[in-house]
Amino acid sequence: MALASAVYLSLMGKQGLRQVAELCYHKAHYAAERLAALPGFSLWTKGPFFHEFVLHCPRPVADLNQALLDFDILGGYDLGQDYPELRDHMLLAFTEMNSREQIDALVEALEEVSHA
């Protein structure tokens, strides 16, 4: 794993690494904006973030994640499992590997399953 990481980073170079970081940042912020606009959903904090954020959900995260599987989507991490005060909060992360279409599909699926 360390060797693969070293090869990847050496091939990316300084400019390539910057481009990947910018892609991660923009995709995560696009996703956060779209998801927070859904009825009943909101960002847990208004503070700065890079490529992951916490989303407050209108239903239990376990239920949403189970329903998302019907769309072949793996949902976010259920923070309530480890932090009871964050019940109904989902941790989501986005990288350069997530396409805009995948993000839009997540938004559409969450909009549909959040009402059930």
Side-chain angles (χ1 to χ4, degrees):
M1 184 68 135
L3 178 59
S5 296
V7 169
Y8 174 75
L9 291 173
S10 68
L11 291 174
M12 292 294 295
K14 193 162 85 172
Q15 189 59 29
L17 192 57
R18 179 184 174 98
Q19 288 174 341
V20 167
E22 287 176 358
L23 276 173
C24 292
Y25 176 88
H26 291 296
K27 288 182 180 198
H29 282 77
Y30 171 75
E33 183 179 314
R34 294 280 325 272
L35 291 166
L38 293 175
F41 289 87
S42 62
L43 295 182
W44 181 57
T45 179
K46 302 295 183 214
F49 63 92
F50 177 53
H51 67 92
E52 54 183 37
F53 56 89
V54 176
L55 184 69
H56 179 259
C57 304
R59 293 185 47 209
V61 174
D63 294 349
L64 292 173
N65 282 340
Q66 186 63 42
L68 287 174
L69 291 175
D70 293 337
F71 295 87
D72 293 326
I73 296 173
L74 291 176
Y77 180 73
D78 183 356
L79 289 167
Q81 295 178 109
D82 295 312
Y83 307 96
E85 67 276 15
L86 292 178
R87 187 186 69 162
D88 299 337
H89 287 75
M90 177 187 291
L91 178 65
L92 293 161
F94 296 87
T95 70
E96 77 280 5
M97 300 298 290
N98 299 109
S99 69
R100 189 177 187 109
E101 291 78 19
Q102 289 173 321
I103 295 169
D104 291 340
L106 171 64
V107 171
E108 291 169 15
L110 275 176
E111 183 173 31
E112 185 173 324
V113 302
S114 67
H115 300 299

